């Protein structure tokens, strides 16, 4: 189901959109990102940017910038990386995004929580900050209601 959610969200995203992912180690953040990027049509290998901090994938729609903010202390440290132009022209998916959320005016926020009673199951909680993100979330909710109910 996580892959289906990622694919549905991918269809709505475009350049300048930011998705912040939160959850513990092995919560499913990279799995989600992999399926989102694959849905956008890439030939690139998708891996966690734990050591590189940012990976950029080419897709049919636009680039996707995949960031792991675990080792970043705050939004200023993120800005020091000089990725502003990439943020404006790409879809940005940021693991451990709560660490640098102050860097963005608008973003979708997804929290991953393991369901202990079901092996491998996850709860995903969505939120939005900013006008564009609220519109995206509303579109996503409509899409999910039509497709999954």
């Amino acid at each position: 189901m996580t892959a289906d959610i990622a694919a549905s969200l991918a269809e709505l995203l475009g350049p300048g959109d930011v998705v912040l992912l939160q959850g513990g180690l092995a919560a499913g953040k990279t799995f989600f990102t992999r399926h989102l990027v694959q849905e956008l049509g890439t030939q690139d290998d998708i891996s966690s940017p734990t050591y590189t901090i940012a990976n950029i994938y080419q897709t049919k729609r636009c680039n996707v910038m995949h960031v792991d903010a675990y080792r970043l202390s705050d939004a200023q440290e993120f800005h020091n990386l000089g990725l502003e132009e990439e943020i404006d022209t790409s879809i940005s998916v940021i693991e451990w995004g709560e660490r640098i959320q102050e860097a963005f005016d608008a973003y979708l926020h997804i929290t991953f929580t393991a369901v202990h009673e079901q092996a491998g199951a996850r709860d995903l909680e969505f939120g939005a900050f900013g006008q564009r993100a609220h519109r995206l979330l509303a579109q996503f909710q409509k899409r999910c209601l039509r497709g999954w109910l």
Side-chain angles (χ1 to χ4, degrees):
M1 187 61 125
T2 301
D4 295 332
I5 293 169
S8 291
L9 182 60
E11 294 174 15
L12 300 173
L13 296 173
D17 288 332
V18 175
V19 181
L20 304 182
L21 307 179
Q22 179 178 340
L25 294 172
K29 298 178 299 290
T30 301
F31 179 87
F32 179 89
T33 302
R34 181 175 298 115
H35 286 278
L36 186 142
V37 175
Q38 286 173 342
E39 181 66 24
L40 292 168
T42 188
Q43 300 299 313
D44 296 338
D45 289 328
I46 302 156
S47 61
S48 177
T50 301
Y51 299 105
T52 59
I53 298 180
N55 291 337
I56 298 172
Y57 309 113
Q58 294 180 340
T59 73
K60 294 177 183 176
R61 185 169 310 151
C62 63
N63 285 347
V64 175
M65 182 173 64
H66 181 196
V67 174
D68 186 326
Y70 184 78
R71 296 185 307 151
L72 300 177
S73 58
D74 57 26
Q76 184 58 50
E77 192 171 358
F78 176 71
H79 277 300
N80 290 344
L81 296 174
L83 299 171
E84 284 79 10
E85 185 175 321
E86 197 66 44
I87 292 167
D88 293 339
T89 60
S90 300
I91 297 167
S92 300
V93 181
I94 303 173
E95 298 186 32
W96 305 96
E98 70 277 8
R99 293 176 179 260
I100 59 170
Q101 67 190 19
E102 297 83 20
F104 306 101
D105 296 329
Y107 54 84
L108 287 177
H109 184 268
I110 307 171
T111 302
F112 294 74
T113 307
V115 177
H116 297 291
E117 301 81 32
Q118 299 174 359
R122 304 283 185 267
D123 279 335
L124 276 65
E125 181 180 331
F126 284 74
F129 181 81
Q131 191 174 31
R132 167 78 178 144
H134 279 282
R135 282 195 307 270
L136 277 170
L137 185 56
Q139 290 175 322
F140 177 70
Q141 288 170 327
K142 286 180 190 174
R143 178 179 295 262
C144 291
L145 287 174
R146 282 194 311 267
W148 295 328
L149 292 181

